[in-house]
Amino acid sequence: MKLIQLLGVAALVGTLSCGSSSDSMNSTGPGNPGPPGPTNVTIQNFSFAPANVSIKVGGTVKWTNKGPSPHTTTSDQSVWASSQLNPPVGGGGGYGGGGGMPGGAYTLTFHTAGTYGYHCSIHPPSTYPGFTGTVVVNP
């Protein structure tokens, strides 16, 4: 009798451990897609487009300069500061032709929920009041 109980417990433990390891190992697939790509923000004409984005904790935002001037993306709360993001190769529009490769880009993954305002440090809000943006990071 004890042997039958022992075999039953062993079978139950084996089933539970296989099920849980299968779930944790299969974090992606048709039912559980992996994390989405970055939320893209374009910098052009002294504006961020879209200016306001909303993501979840662990989400990523990618800023790409597609305008004729160098820019940055700089947190109002000193959380991040990109280096100078150069314009597309060859300039743009009346500034040298355009049609070049996309300009400099900066990517940041957010690990803490909150609201983060940002601006271009080269063209500050005191001079360019509409050149600001917000990232809302939801839990």
Side-chain angles (χ1 to χ4, degrees), residues 4 16-17 19 21 52 54 58 66 78 86 100 105 110 122 125 131 133 137:
I4 293 174
L16 290 176
S17 68
S21 81
N52 303 306
S54 182
K66 294 187 178 179
S78 301
N86 290 319
F110 290 82
I122 299 170
F131 199 8
V137 183

Side-chain angles (χ1 to χ4, degrees), residues 123-129:
H123 307 98
S126 60
T127 307
Y128 296 85

Side-chain angles (χ1 to χ4, degrees), residues 64-137:
T64 303
N65 184 2
K66 294 187 178 179
S69 304
H71 297 293
T72 71
T73 173
T74 305
S75 163
D76 296 343
Q77 300 89 356
S78 301
V79 175
W80 76 88
S82 73
S83 59
Q84 179 173 299
L85 305 177
N86 290 319
V89 175
Y95 296 94
M101 300 296 293
Y106 178 74
T107 303
L108 181 67
T109 300
F110 290 82
H111 299 288
T112 304
T115 300
Y116 302 92
Y118 65 91
H119 62 277
C120 173
S121 64
I122 299 170
H123 307 98
S126 60
T127 307
Y128 296 85
F131 199 8
T132 61
T134 304
V135 177
V136 177
V137 183

Side-chain angles (χ1 to χ4, degrees), residues 13-28:
V13 169
T15 300
L16 290 176
S17 68
C18 285
S20 89
S21 81
S22 169
D23 289 343
S24 66
M25 290 176 65
N26 189 18
S27 60
T28 61

